[in-house]
Amino acid sequence: MGRTRLYLVRHGEQDPAYGHAPDGGLSPHGRDQAERLGQRLRTVPFTAIHHSPLPRAAQTAAIVAGHLPRVPTHACDLVTDRTPVPSPGQRDSYPGRWHTWLDGVPPDERDENAVALRAAVNHFGVTSASDRDELLITHNFVIGWFVRHVLDAPTWRWIGLHQDNCAITIVQWASGRPPVLVSYNDTGHLPP
């Protein structure tokens, strides 16, 4: 069986004129970040680029794909912006200091008990007959959830994981072994 290596990337910086609106695109700095990311990843033998359908991720993917012209690229709802929140029955599994913040998560971002995020890990975190490298251009909490899963950390532990815009996190699955965190929040291709 082959190994699966997922490159998890948070979209480029969103244009501040949009605030935190879901339909906001990239700022000029975000476009530059995506360009540098594409240059950094141009030699990785990706089999696919999956991106969140939200504009900031779709624009990041389009810029990166310009450096990977033969790699299929598509929008994927599995990696859209989600915030895992506990159901009332699971609320006590999260530290009390986070309850008020979690209560304020907008309805369209709520993923109760991380049902959708668990489905994303189950979909992408599998091995196949041959090695494969896939790029997921997504959002901070989605990456935090994958890292939390790979480290077998408590359910709530995604909260303290921050991914910089266009930073690279790599997770890997191989047959007969637990998943591995290869690298986290690598910003070596971005200016300070």
Side-chain angles (χ1 to χ4, degrees):
M1 295 287 284
R3 61 115 183 105
T4 297
R5 186 171 286 167
L6 301 179
Y7 288 69
L8 306 170
V9 172
R10 184 179 182 191
H11 57 80
E13 179 187 80
Q14 186 172 350
D15 188 330
Y18 291 99
H20 292 289
D23 60 345
L26 295 177
S27 69
H29 181 62
R31 286 190 288 281
D32 180 62
Q33 291 170 326
E35 185 68 35
R36 290 171 185 270
L37 174 65
Q39 291 170 4
R40 168 87 181 270
L41 297 176
R42 71 183 180 276
T43 61
V44 178
F46 289 115
T47 55
I49 300 171
H50 313 275
H51 65 83
S52 162
L54 296 179
R56 58 194 181 271
Q59 291 172 9
T60 302
I63 293 168
V64 171
H67 295 273
L68 303 162
R70 288 182 283 286
V71 180
T73 303
H74 70 278
C76 178
D77 191 54
L78 287 169
V79 296
T80 198
D81 199 6
R82 291 191 169 85
T83 304
V85 296
S87 64
Q90 296 296 316
R91 191 171 173 87
D92 289 341
S93 67
Y94 277 65
R97 68 183 179 273
W98 296 108
H99 290 180
T100 301
W101 181 82
L102 290 163
D103 291 342
V105 172
D108 60 330
E109 291 179 19
R110 298 177 75 81
D111 181 12
E112 192 169 282
N113 294 333
V115 170
L117 288 168
R118 290 175 199 277
V121 169
N122 289 338
H123 177 79
F124 289 110
V126 295
T127 57
S128 58
S130 58
D131 290 352
R132 75 180 211 277
D133 297 279
E134 296 190 7
L135 176 58
L136 281 62
I137 298 178
T138 184
H139 305 274
N140 190 49
F141 296 157
V142 175
I143 296 168
W145 185 265
F146 269 86
V147 171
R148 182 224 60 83
H149 173 83
V150 165
L151 296 177
D152 200 21
T155 304
W156 62 270
R157 197 57 189 97
W158 60 270
I159 291 175
L161 299 173
H162 175 77
Q163 182 81 4
D164 291 322
N165 294 108
C166 284
I168 303 166
T169 290
I170 303 172
V171 293
Q172 179 174 294
W173 280 260
S175 298
R177 296 181 177 182
V180 175
L181 177 63
V182 176
S183 68
Y184 180 76
N185 205 34
D186 178 352
T187 57
H189 53 288
L190 301 173

